Each structure stands twice: as C-alpha cells, then as structure tokens.
Amino acid sequence: MKVQVNRDVLAEAVGWCARILPTRPALPVLTGLLLDASGDLRISAFDYDVSARADVDAAVAEPGQVLLPGRVLAEIVRSLPGEVVDITTSGSEAVLTCGSAEFGLLTMPADDFPTLPQMPPKVGAVGGALFASAVAQVAVAASRDNTLPMLTAIRLDTDGVNMTMAATDRYRIAARDFLWHPEGEATTHGAMIPAKVLVDVAKSLRVGEVSVCLGGNVAGFESAGKSTTVRLLDDQFIDYRSRLSGDWGIRATVDVQPFLEAIRRVALVSGAHSAVRLSFSQGQVLIQAAGDEIGRGAEVMGADLDGDDILIAFQPHFLLEGLAGVETEQAVIHLDSPTRPALISDAGDDPAFRYLVMSLRIN
C-alpha cells in the first residue's frame, strides 16, 4: 500500500476511530486500526460491540490494506507537523513520513481482523448540535453500574417527527423531546443505546446533520464521512412518560444561573452524603447545607412560589446536573411533599426537558 493524505484530515479520522479501541481486548487485533486503500482511504476499528469508520480523501498510488497499532498511530499522527503524510507498507512494516519525521510501525495480521457489521437502514436525520445537546442533557441520569445494563442506556423513541431521549439510574429520570426528520413514511422506533457510546458519538458529530440508522439489534450514526455502529441493549425500559406526567401541587420558578451558582457555593460545606435543603416560601428560597466535620452554609435568593411553603432536600450533584440541563433562563420545580420526587423542567407550557429527582429524608 502507498498513499498520501493531508495530516489534519488523517488525524481527525484516526482520532474518531481510535476512541473506541478497547483497553482490555478479547483479541490483540482489536487494538488495531485497519487502513484500507482499495478506493480512497478508509480507517476502521471494531471491538465486536462498537465499530467506527472514517472515509478520507487520499492520493492512492498503490492500493492495499494494513492493520496498525491504534493508539500508537493516533499519538504519532497527532504529533506530526502540518504537512502531507505518506504511508507506505514494506514487508511487516508500515512507514509514515511527514516532513523530516519518519516512523516505522510493525504491522498486525490484517486477515485476523473481524468483519465490521453493515450499517443498518437509515430511519431519519437530526442536526448535530441538537443531537449533542439532547444526549448531554439526559446522559447524566444514566447509571455507570454495569450490573443492570438497562440503566446504562439512553432510550431513544421516535413517533413521526418527534424524538425523545431518556435515561435513568433509579434515583432520577431525565428526558428530552425534540423534532427530527424521519426518512420516508414516519414510523415509530425504539432503541436502547449504551449511554457511553452515544455520548462519544454525539460529541464528535456536533457539526452538520447526523443520520440515524436502526435495524435488528444494531444502531448506526453517520455524518460527514464518519460512521459508527453499536450493538443495542435489551429493549426493556421503565415507563418513563407516566412518571414525568404526574400531578404536583406546588410550583416554584427560579432563575437558573443564579440558583445553580448559589447551590454550588452552599454545597461546598456539605459532606459526601450530606443533602442540600431548599426552603421555598413566598418570594424566596433558602438554600442550606452542612457537613458534620466541615461547617454550614446558607444563601437566600428570589423565587416565585405557587402553592404552600415547603422544605425539601436533595443530593447536591443530582440537583445541579438536573438544573444544568435546563435551556431556558428560568427553571420550574414541581413539588408535592418533602418525601416525593420533584420534577425540574424548562419554563413554558410544553417543556422540552424534564428531570425527575428523588428527594432525601430530612432529619
């Protein structure tokens, strides 16, 4: 194989694929990146659950393919000067030349590299920025504990032109509704996608339009020459819609940024398992926290209250992560009693973002 490619283009493509390389691979070849110059240059990675591909323009003098150590290749390409990169294979070595820099990498057995899954059928598309924003809003509520895989997923549901993403770790539920562009006749779809994978994909595909592909037990995402597939998790998920549409007798409205900043300040003295207490009364909210071995903090700020006064407590980081997902200048906190969960949402009659969070017992 002998190809010539722009260094910046190569670095972006290699970085896109290298991000999925496993740290504890089932097989050594899974730590490699496959460079295939049958047409233009295609770079691929696969660990049997997630695949990544990137197609880049390259001047191919001699077609062929080579499997190279992925993380080392990514570090080398990232460090190269901004000049054209020549990649040439000779025997068991691939030589990368860029300006005065030259690296020789020992190749891996390309014949042992597994065949990547086919991209499933495209079911629609959504703007990359909107897609990334929605994923970030709900991913905070996904569990990091793999003992119950359902809780590590982001649930993706479509109904016509409406898409909803949701996640839960049993202590909170985050959901975001938005519009997308279904392909052909609008139909309903549901998929359980590992949150970690979806977060990485969304961060990398923020520009342009993202094609959403679903079929069998695989989901795929494509944008601007980059694509990824992921094996779906079990389809079981909680009925999150009913839990986000309950009745709350108390409604508090706060300015999001000042409220976030006040909670962060007060929570500085809270211990690892201490709560932040919110005392809502007419026209204000008192924010309090205390740590047994640290001290205490309190701050008062304005709040509009519709309903009775209430004192309720939350885990600080759960509260902060929910408020951080609100995109309007004000947030609405729906409350009922100190022992029931609270619902945080965007301001307005039809909020796009909703975040249900459990309250803590107040001693």
Side-chain angles (χ1 to χ4, degrees), residues 162-208:
N162 299 302
M163 178 179 283
T164 302
M165 290 183 182
T168 181
D169 59 4
R170 287 186 292 199
Y171 304 105
R172 53 204 171 144
I173 303 171
R176 169 68 193 271
D177 299 318
F178 55 95
L179 298 177
W180 77 313
H181 308 289
E183 186 84 354
E185 183 178 350
T187 56
T188 60
H189 299 278
M192 295 282 287
I193 303 169
K196 182 179 183 299
V197 175
L198 200 56
V199 168
D200 287 342
V201 170
K203 285 180 180 178
S204 302
L205 301 182
R206 300 182 69 94
V207 179

Side-chain angles (χ1 to χ4, degrees), residues 76 80 117 133 136 142 156 165 167 193 205-206 210 224 251 284 296 299 308 327-328 362:
I76 289 173
L80 291 175
S133 173
L156 187 152
M165 290 183 182
I193 303 169
L205 301 182
R206 300 182 69 94
V210 177
R251 175 187 170 106
Q284 68 175 39
R296 60 183 178 83
E299 186 166 343
D308 297 332
E327 293 187 325
T328 53
I362 299 175

Side-chain angles (χ1 to χ4, degrees), residues 117-123 212-216 218-222 228-230:
Q118 294 293 318
M119 182 64 65
K122 179 180 176 180
V123 295
V212 180
C213 308
L214 295 172
V218 176
F221 304 92
E222 292 183 301
T228 192
T229 65
V230 56

Side-chain angles (χ1 to χ4, degrees), residues 50-131:
V50 185
S51 76
R53 301 179 182 89
D55 294 318
V56 298
D57 292 331
V60 179
E62 296 178 11
Q65 65 177 18
V66 63
L67 185 64
L68 298 176
R71 288 196 170 85
V72 174
L73 178 63
E75 291 175 3
I76 289 173
V77 173
R78 188 168 53 243
S79 70
L80 291 175
E83 301 181 32
V84 171
V85 180
D86 289 287
I87 305 174
T88 306
T89 57
S90 176
S92 62
E93 186 182 61
V95 179
L96 280 72
T97 306
C98 183
S100 59
E102 180 179 294
F103 293 87
L105 293 179
L106 295 179
T107 63
M108 304 170 72
D111 291 341
D112 294 342
F113 194 73
T115 302
L116 273 67
Q118 294 293 318
M119 182 64 65
K122 179 180 176 180
V123 295
V126 60
L130 175 58
F131 183 70

Side-chain angles (χ1 to χ4, degrees), residues 222-242:
E222 292 183 301
S223 180
K226 293 186 273 188
S227 64
T228 192
T229 65
V230 56
R231 188 196 303 266
L232 298 178
L233 298 175
D234 189 356
D235 200 37
Q236 293 182 348
F237 199 65
I238 63 170
D239 181 11
Y240 64 91
R241 297 183 191 276
S242 65

